[in-house]
């Protein structure tokens, strides 16, 4: 109750880590990576929206979310068995079973596409709110041990330093609602859903690349995003009511 009463203008959901393959389910009997990188965001966002209906929500996603579609668009069918996650990553099977299993090799991609689905769905469910999912690019943080070495991809200019990497986040946080929708057409409204911000700080529509097609088209992914919202709501309700 105290959290929902706080005055907040912007929520930046930035919790993320590189999950260890095979990590057991947590005390809630859920995949720990999906719990930390999506469900915690969903819960905090919902709590703050209770008292801040016009909240700006910014989710850190990743360009790796495209790996939920690229292999299935371009790999020969006889090689698809090498991909250990399902098309779309957060599909019906994952929502029914995957969120309650140990961490698998697609855990990071599942969390990152969930961050995008969440951002898209927020204005659908909270009409006064705005939301952006951002791709920071390959940034030299400390998410992996080798990033902390004196000789690293960042020191060799192969990765963005943190000062550069944070710029899309600052743009998503500080830009006005009108600035974020600039270039999306006069008919584009926030109640059409949240948007994506790329590594250059430019907003774009979700699932606009050529590999998001067929069963992974924009419309199909929006449907999966709605199912994710419903599953998240039911999961959080069951946990908080016990």
């Amino acid at each position: 109750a105290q959290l929902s009463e706080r005055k907040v203008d912007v929520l930046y959901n930035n919790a993320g880590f590189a999950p260890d393959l095979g990590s057991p389910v947590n005390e809630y009997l859920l995949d720990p990576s999906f719990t930390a990188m999506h469900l915690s965001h969903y819960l905090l966002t919902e709590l703050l929206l209770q008292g801040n209906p016009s909240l700006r929500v910014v989710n850190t996603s990743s360009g790796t979310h495209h790996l939920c579609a690229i292999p299935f668009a371009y790999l020969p069918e006889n090689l698809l068995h090498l991909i250990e996650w399902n098309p779309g990553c957060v599909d019906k099977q994952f929502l029914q079973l995957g969120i309650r299993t140990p961490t698998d090799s697609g855990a990071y991609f599942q969390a990152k596409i969930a961050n995008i689905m969440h951002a898209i769905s927020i204005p659908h469910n909270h009409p006064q709110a705005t939301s952006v999912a951002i791709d920071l690019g390959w940034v030299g943080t400390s998410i992996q041990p080798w990033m902390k070495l004196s000789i690293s991809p960042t020191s060799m200019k192969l990765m963005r330093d943190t000062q550069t990497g944070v710029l899309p986040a600052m743009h998503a946080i500080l830009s006005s609602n009108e600035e974020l929708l600039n270039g999306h057409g006069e008919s584009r409204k926030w109640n059409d859903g949240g948007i994506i911000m790329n590594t250059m700080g430019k907003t774009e529509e979700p699932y606009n690349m050529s590999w998001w097609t067929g069963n992974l088209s924009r419309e199909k992914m929006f449907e999966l995003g709605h199912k994710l919202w419903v599953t998240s709501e039911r999961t959080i309700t069951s946990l908080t009511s016990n």
Side-chain angles (χ1 to χ4, degrees), residues 91-178:
D91 63 348
K92 184 177 180 180
Q93 180 182 1
F94 177 77
L95 292 174
Q96 289 178 339
L97 302 174
I99 64 172
R100 302 184 185 279
T101 61
T103 301
D104 62 26
S105 60
Y108 189 75
F109 313 142
Q110 290 153 0
K112 294 297 104 179
I113 193 73
N115 297 151
I116 287 179
M117 291 174 166
H118 180 220
I120 293 168
S121 296
I122 288 171
H124 293 159
N125 293 276
H126 300 278
Q128 296 181 57
T130 57
S131 49
V132 186
I134 59 174
D135 177 6
L136 300 178
W138 202 28
V139 183
T141 62
S142 57
I143 195 171
Q144 294 281 11
W146 47 264
M147 292 183 179
K148 305 176 187 178
L149 300 175
S150 57
I151 299 178
S152 67
T154 306
S155 67
M156 294 186 289
K157 308 299 183 183
L158 299 175
M159 297 180 74
R160 289 179 159 195
D161 59 33
T162 53
Q163 289 84 357
T164 303
V166 76
L167 293 179
M170 298 305 297
H171 189 185
I173 290 169
L174 298 174
S175 296
S176 69
N177 294 345
E178 294 73 23

Side-chain angles (χ1 to χ4, degrees), residues 26 177 218 238:
N26 57 26
N177 294 345
R218 175 184 170 89
S238 68

Side-chain angles (χ1 to χ4, degrees), residues 26-129:
N26 57 26
E27 63 268 34
Y28 308 111
L29 303 181
L30 295 166
D31 171 4
S33 62
F34 192 74
T35 303
M37 290 190 276
H38 168 65
L39 288 175
S40 66
H41 294 175
Y42 176 87
L43 175 58
L44 180 58
T45 302
E46 289 300 292
L47 289 173
L48 289 176
L49 278 165
Q50 290 176 19
N52 302 275
S54 59
L55 185 70
R56 164 77 56 79
V57 182
V58 178
N59 289 348
T60 294
S61 182
S62 165
T64 60
H65 81 276
H66 291 297
L67 292 176
C68 295
I70 289 175
F72 307 99
Y74 297 121
L75 279 181
E77 191 169 336
N78 62 345
L79 294 181
L80 288 179
H81 68 279
L82 299 174
I83 307 301
E84 298 182 11
W85 53 92
N86 295 336
C89 290
V90 177
D91 63 348
K92 184 177 180 180
Q93 180 182 1
F94 177 77
L95 292 174
Q96 289 178 339
L97 302 174
I99 64 172
R100 302 184 185 279
T101 61
T103 301
D104 62 26
S105 60
Y108 189 75
F109 313 142
Q110 290 153 0
K112 294 297 104 179
I113 193 73
N115 297 151
I116 287 179
M117 291 174 166
H118 180 220
I120 293 168
S121 296
I122 288 171
H124 293 159
N125 293 276
H126 300 278
Q128 296 181 57

